[in-house]
Amino acid sequence: MSDDVQKQRMNDLESQLAFQEDIIEQLNQQVYDQSQQLTELQQHVRFLAKKLKQIQEDNSSAGVDPSHEPPPPHY
């Protein structure tokens, strides 16, 4: 192969490598962001589960029976 062809191939490979490194960095950032969002959502779910349990316990201790509630109005 001539030097010009080898230089062009080397430049192409270096360009591809730079592009791939950039894509990998973007993907890493996206994974990090999604991990943070997942952690936040898990905290929200735990909070809501505690609230639901508290409401259920309050209703149980108050003697509220959901089967005795009047049916909702129909439209």
Side-chain angles (χ1 to χ4, degrees):
M1 270 194 247
S2 69
D3 286 339
D4 289 338
V5 172
Q6 285 182 335
K7 286 180 184 178
Q8 182 60 41
R9 289 184 71 184
M10 183 64 76
N11 286 338
D12 290 345
L13 289 173
E14 288 173 349
S15 177
Q16 288 176 356
L17 178 61
F19 178 75
Q20 288 175 351
E21 287 175 342
D22 185 50
I23 292 294
I24 289 171
E25 183 59 35
Q26 290 176 21
L27 290 172
N28 282 337
Q29 184 62 45
Q30 194 169 23
V31 167
Y32 174 78
D33 292 344
Q34 288 179 346
S35 175
Q36 297 290 40
Q37 290 173 343
L38 181 60
T39 299
E40 185 177 328
L41 289 172
Q42 287 171 332
Q43 291 172 350
H44 286 294
V45 167
R46 279 194 288 276
F47 172 77
L48 291 173
K50 285 180 186 177
K51 289 292 261 185
L52 179 60
K53 185 176 181 180
Q54 181 184 18
I55 290 169
Q56 289 172 336
E57 289 173 355
D58 290 348
N59 286 344
S60 294
S61 65
V64 176
D65 186 0
S67 65
H68 294 312
E69 288 186 21
H74 296 287
Y75 294 96

